[in-house]
Amino acid sequence: MKHKRITMKEIAEEAGVAKSTVSRYFNDGYVKEETREKIRKIIEAHDYEPSAAASNLKAKETKTIGIIAPTINSNTSSRLLTSINAYLKEKGYTVILIDTDHDINDEIRSIQYFESLRVDGIILVATNINLIHQKLVHESQIPILIVAQHFKNGVSIIYDDYRAGYAAGEYAAKMGHENVLFLGVNRVDEAVGVQRRKGVLEALEEYGVPKIHMRETDFSFSKTRKVIRHYLEDHHPTMIIAATDNLALACYKEIAEKGLRVPEDISLIGFGGYEVSELITPSLCTYRFDYELAGKMAGATILSLIKGDPVATTQVIGFRKIEGGSVQDRRKKGEAK
Amino acid sequence: MKHKRITMKEIAEEAGVAKSTVSRYFNDGYVKEETREKIRKIIEAHDYEPSAAASNLKAKETKTIGIIAPTINSNTSSRLLTSINAYLKEKGYTVILIDTDHDINDEIRSIQYFESLRVDGIILVATNINLIHQKLVHESQIPILIVAQHFKNGVSIIYDDYRAGYAAGEYAAKMGHENVLFLGVNRVDEAVGVQRRKGVLEALEEYGVPKIHMRETDFSFSKTRKVIRHYLEDHHPTMIIAATDNLALACYKEIAEKGLRVPEDISLIGFGGYEVSELITPSLCTYRFDYELAGKMAGATILSLIKGDPVATTQVIGFRKIEGGSVQDRRKKGEAK
């Protein structure tokens, strides 16, 4: 063991990291496990003891958090972002937001941009996680939290889309619906497009619903109305389960325009629990995630990551059913309990 | 006239401005009129001729625009912001957004924060303009554009709230409504709370509507429902003009819960033209501003300000009526054309 006294700068050089990382190490700030181990070994080898001054020398904080979101023009996204913002503002942080407009390349540029601003932490509201994200998050010296999609190699907060989907499918089956359309969105969106859909379809199958159809749309009213109009021309479902409340609202309109009634002719279930879904008549039966809670948890979690406090790698946000009046009970008499 | 050769640095010192401002002056970038005049005089006095090198030395651009908004959790605000973002992204800019959550002090801090980041321009979506704003905008060396409120001492883009309000009031009167409630919001919001309200009430008065009432709420569903429920207990308006579509949607619900019908018992008019207002039955008669156009104009205007191109100090966004089925024609027979 060499007994040469080594400086923070030399530790940083030997570990191949920035001096600020070494400083964070000494101040119990966020340092990736792998880097932490490297620094620990160098210190051991050199028998380094930090001076009191050095250990008080905090890594420079900017008190700024960067958020990257795919859109701000959606009910659920707006509510989540508003909640994150309120939480972090209260804690004294400046929150800056980049809206990528669903452009994945822009997400990557935005991570790099926030790194150049030396924000203290980054929250990425994702629609999809690919290899580049994994590499970037792995290499970043700034803590990154992923929200809305599951992230195997890091920390994420997710909505329980599979189980919410399953609950909706199960409810439709138990209410005696035998001819059900699931109206989904593109599968590029892993959470809504894949997990929610999977939950609905598996429940419908497991409960032996004889007729299960599936149509795909995007998140827009106009496309959705066209898809539903076309579908209703030669199909007669008793239930439509729509992947979001917005899609369900488009169904209301098309059902009304065909002279049919909700729920007497066609029942409807959505996901989201938008305030407006309560205001239509009959109000929509919908499965609601707690976006306000998700926002607070995201805020608390990024602060924990920055401080180096322990956090769960995956935190799951639950849901609840909002009854509404849009589902008809079609169970035969005697079948109902 | 002294014939001493002066450097850009010396001009900056003499004018009491940053060197980058002088550089912008020589490169036809944005420099406030007052500063421009100062620099011009110093140059004249010293007979300065910039070298080719200096005149090619562009002021350092960051290709970043900062947006400050009171909320992202409203239909109109989200649409405007999404449109600004898309326009500027296409032009190669990074757009970063701060959501002040209706906190005016935060607007001021955000302007200063964006200045410290050396963004090329700032767009402030305002709910209210006070003296501090005026001072900040006046002192800032970075171009600032105000959207949604009129700004006497600078450049702004506004919605034609007064005329839209007037058009709605006029329409209600011309359709024979004699007992009209205007449901407004707090007057801290100059555009919606003052101008829109003023337009509605002036039209109703000018057309001689005998019973005009006025109630105030905030932008939330729950408060609005409470206000309307209470009002309908001992009033029987034939028409409610609501300051936003959201308020009108809350009225639908309360009217339905009282066992009344739209428009047979009570007619409704809103402002906003949210997609969802088309989806309820009967669809809402509403006055819609072109938020997408406003976003594009805001993007184009801030770029013009940065380049130093001429811009109108006030640009007004027009509106159109979306008919809907929520207004009853109460004109007596023979009166209708």
Side-chain angles (χ1 to χ4, degrees):
Chain A
M1 205 185 275
K2 287 179 279 183
H3 274 263
K4 185 195 148 210
R5 188 139 173 101
I6 190 171
T7 64
M8 284 213 324
K9 188 161 165 258
E10 286 165 334
I11 296 174
E13 274 164 13
E14 200 165 327
V17 300
K19 199 178 146 196
S20 60
T21 308
V22 180
S23 167
R24 271 209 302 285
Y25 175 91
F26 284 119
N27 289 286
D28 297 324
Y30 174 81
V31 178
K32 240 196 297 291
E33 197 41 50
E34 196 188 322
T35 312
R36 184 175 287 281
E37 187 53 25
K38 235 188 236 169
I39 296 175
R40 203 186 53 72
K41 281 190 181 151
I42 295 167
I43 291 168
E44 257 188 31
H46 291 280
D47 206 20
Y48 175 84
E49 187 151 347
S51 68
S55 106
N56 282 330
L57 182 79
K58 280 244 175 235
K60 202 182 153 208
E61 283 182 340
T62 57
K63 282 280 183 186
T64 308
I65 305 283
I67 305 185
I68 304 164
T71 178
I72 57 169
N73 197 13
S74 107
N75 228 302
T76 52
S77 181
S78 298
R79 278 195 292 180
L80 170 72
L81 295 171
T82 297
S83 170
I84 298 176
N85 189 56
Y87 182 92
L88 289 171
K89 269 187 67 166
E90 227 227 80
K91 300 288 177 188
Y93 282 80
T94 298
V95 179
I96 50 182
L97 174 69
I98 294 182
D99 168 3
T100 63
D101 205 5
H102 291 282
D103 175 352
I104 294 238
N105 295 324
D106 209 29
E107 288 182 356
I108 288 153
R109 276 194 298 269
S110 302
I111 292 177
Q112 291 163 337
Y113 176 73
F114 281 142
E115 284 180 335
S116 78
L117 288 189
R118 298 179 176 282
V119 299
D120 296 334
I122 297 173
I123 299 174
L124 170 64
V125 182
T127 49
N128 178 283
I129 297 292
N130 65 22
L131 285 174
I132 307 175
H133 288 107
Q134 306 209 11
K135 188 168 177 304
L136 268 178
V137 172
H138 185 70
E139 284 171 1
S140 175
Q141 291 299 330
I142 295 173
I144 300 183
L145 167 68
I146 309 283
V147 177
Q149 301 286 343
H150 186 245
F151 185 47
K152 280 192 297 263
N153 306 313
V155 178
S156 54
I157 294 179
I158 56 171
Y159 304 115
D160 203 351
D161 277 293
Y162 174 80
R163 285 214 309 132
Y166 193 93
E170 186 179 33
Y171 180 57
K174 283 189 169 171
M175 293 300 275
H177 288 271
E178 302 192 328
N179 187 346
V180 179
L181 169 70
F182 176 67
L183 183 61
V185 296
N186 194 301
R187 292 171 216 185
V188 172
D189 186 316
E190 167 71 23
V192 178
V194 179
Q195 292 303 320
R196 203 174 282 178
R197 174 177 150 274
K198 199 173 158 212
V200 170
L201 296 180
E202 282 187 12
L204 293 175
E205 275 161 25
E206 275 172 34
Y207 280 85
V209 171
K211 272 196 185 166
I212 305 169
H213 283 148
M214 157 78 196
R215 287 290 181 278
E216 229 170 67
T217 176
D218 55 26
F219 287 98
S220 77
F221 276 115
S222 51
K223 171 83 187 289
T224 305
R225 288 185 63 173
K226 209 179 289 173
V227 168
I228 282 296
R229 195 178 312 140
H230 188 72
Y231 180 80
L232 292 180
E233 272 166 20
D234 35 38
H235 295 85
H236 304 89
T238 65
M239 157 76 75
I240 300 174
I241 302 177
T244 77
D245 277 10
N246 263 0
L247 307 190
L249 293 175
C251 294
Y252 268 96
K253 193 67 178 184
E254 284 305 320
I255 290 168
E257 301 235 317
K258 256 190 106 64
L260 300 173
R261 292 155 307 161
V262 177
E264 292 82 351
D265 299 302
I266 301 179
S267 296
L268 276 174
I269 295 178
F271 294 86
Y274 307 162
E275 272 188 312
V276 73
S277 312
E278 249 179 82
L279 296 178
I280 43 171
T281 304
S283 54
L284 177 63
C285 171
T286 183
Y287 287 78
R288 187 192 199 284
F289 294 104
D290 192 337
Y291 300 102
E292 288 72 22
L293 174 66
K296 283 179 200 163
M297 279 171 56
T301 302
I302 195 70
L303 295 189
S304 293
L305 283 173
I306 291 168
K307 278 188 278 180
D309 287 347
V311 296
T313 43
T314 309
Q315 297 174 78
V316 180
I317 304 288
F319 60 90
R320 63 192 169 88
K321 181 168 79 174
I322 297 170
E323 280 288 346
S326 65
V327 175
Q328 194 188 29
D329 185 348
R330 294 177 66 88
R331 288 173 294 187
K332 287 158 202 90
K333 291 231 170 75
E335 199 187 324
K337 41 181 170 170
Chain B
M1 202 186 274
K2 290 178 279 183
H3 273 263
K4 184 195 148 213
R5 187 141 175 96
I6 190 172
T7 65
M8 284 211 327
K9 190 161 165 257
E10 287 164 336
I11 297 174
E13 274 163 13
E14 200 166 328
V17 299
K19 199 179 145 195
S20 61
T21 308
V22 181
S23 168
R24 273 209 301 283
Y25 175 92
F26 285 118
N27 290 286
D28 297 324
Y30 174 79
V31 177
K32 241 196 296 290
E33 197 41 52
E34 198 188 321
T35 312
R36 183 176 289 281
E37 188 53 25
K38 236 189 234 168
I39 295 174
R40 205 187 50 72
K41 282 190 180 151
I42 295 166
I43 290 168
E44 257 188 32
H46 291 278
D47 206 21
Y48 176 84
E49 186 149 348
S51 67
S55 106
N56 282 329
L57 184 79
K58 280 246 174 233
K60 202 183 156 209
E61 285 181 341
T62 57
K63 283 281 183 185
T64 308
I65 305 283
I67 305 185
I68 303 164
T71 178
I72 58 169
N73 198 11
S74 108
N75 226 304
T76 51
S77 181
S78 297
R79 276 195 293 182
L80 170 73
L81 295 171
T82 297
S83 170
I84 299 176
N85 188 56
Y87 183 90
L88 289 172
K89 268 188 66 167
E90 227 226 81
K91 299 288 178 188
Y93 282 80
T94 297
V95 179
I96 51 184
L97 174 68
I98 294 182
D99 168 4
T100 64
D101 205 5
H102 292 281
D103 175 352
I104 294 233
N105 294 325
D106 208 31
E107 287 181 358
I108 288 153
R109 276 194 298 271
S110 301
I111 292 176
Q112 291 163 336
Y113 175 72
F114 281 142
E115 284 180 333
S116 77
L117 289 189
R118 300 177 174 284
V119 299
D120 296 335
I122 296 173
I123 299 174
L124 171 63
V125 183
T127 49
N128 178 283
I129 297 292
N130 64 23
L131 285 174
I132 306 175
H133 289 109
Q134 306 207 13
K135 189 168 177 303
L136 267 177
V137 172
H138 185 70
E139 285 172 0
S140 175
Q141 290 301 330
I142 294 173
I144 300 183
L145 167 68
I146 308 282
V147 178
Q149 302 286 343
H150 185 244
F151 186 47
K152 281 193 297 265
N153 307 313
V155 178
S156 54
I157 294 180
I158 56 171
Y159 304 114
D160 203 350
D161 277 293
Y162 174 80
R163 286 215 307 130
Y166 193 93
E170 185 179 35
Y171 179 57
K174 283 192 170 168
M175 292 302 274
H177 288 270
E178 303 193 326
N179 187 346
V180 178
L181 168 70
F182 175 66
L183 183 61
V185 296
N186 193 300
R187 292 171 217 186
V188 172
D189 185 315
E190 167 72 23
V192 178
V194 180
Q195 292 302 321
R196 202 175 284 178
R197 173 177 150 276
K198 199 174 159 214
V200 170
L201 296 179
E202 282 187 12
L204 293 174
E205 275 159 25
E206 276 172 34
Y207 280 86
V209 172
K211 274 196 183 164
I212 305 170
H213 283 148
M214 157 76 195
R215 286 292 181 279
E216 228 170 67
T217 175
D218 55 24
F219 287 98
S220 76
F221 275 114
S222 50
K223 172 84 185 290
T224 305
R225 288 186 62 173
K226 211 179 287 174
V227 169
I228 281 296
R229 196 177 312 143
H230 189 71
Y231 180 80
L232 292 181
E233 273 166 20
D234 36 37
H235 295 86
H236 304 91
T238 65
M239 156 76 76
I240 301 174
I241 301 178
T244 77
D245 278 9
N246 263 0
L247 306 190
L249 292 176
C251 294
Y252 268 96
K253 192 68 178 185
E254 285 304 320
I255 290 168
E257 300 232 321
K258 257 190 105 65
L260 301 173
R261 291 155 308 161
V262 177
E264 291 83 352
D265 299 302
I266 303 179
S267 296
L268 277 174
I269 294 179
F271 294 86
Y274 307 162
E275 272 188 313
V276 73
S277 312
E278 248 179 83
L279 295 178
I280 41 171
T281 305
S283 54
L284 178 64
C285 171
T286 184
Y287 288 78
R288 187 193 200 283
F289 295 104
D290 192 339
Y291 300 100
E292 287 73 22
L293 175 66
K296 282 179 199 161
M297 279 172 56
T301 302
I302 195 72
L303 294 189
S304 293
L305 283 172
I306 292 168
K307 277 187 281 182
D309 288 347
V311 297
T313 44
T314 309
Q315 298 174 79
V316 179
I317 303 289
F319 61 89
R320 63 192 168 86
K321 181 168 80 173
I322 297 170
E323 280 288 347
S326 64
V327 175
Q328 194 187 31
D329 186 348
R330 293 175 67 87
R331 289 173 294 188
K332 289 157 200 90
K333 290 234 169 72
E335 198 187 327
K337 43 181 172 173

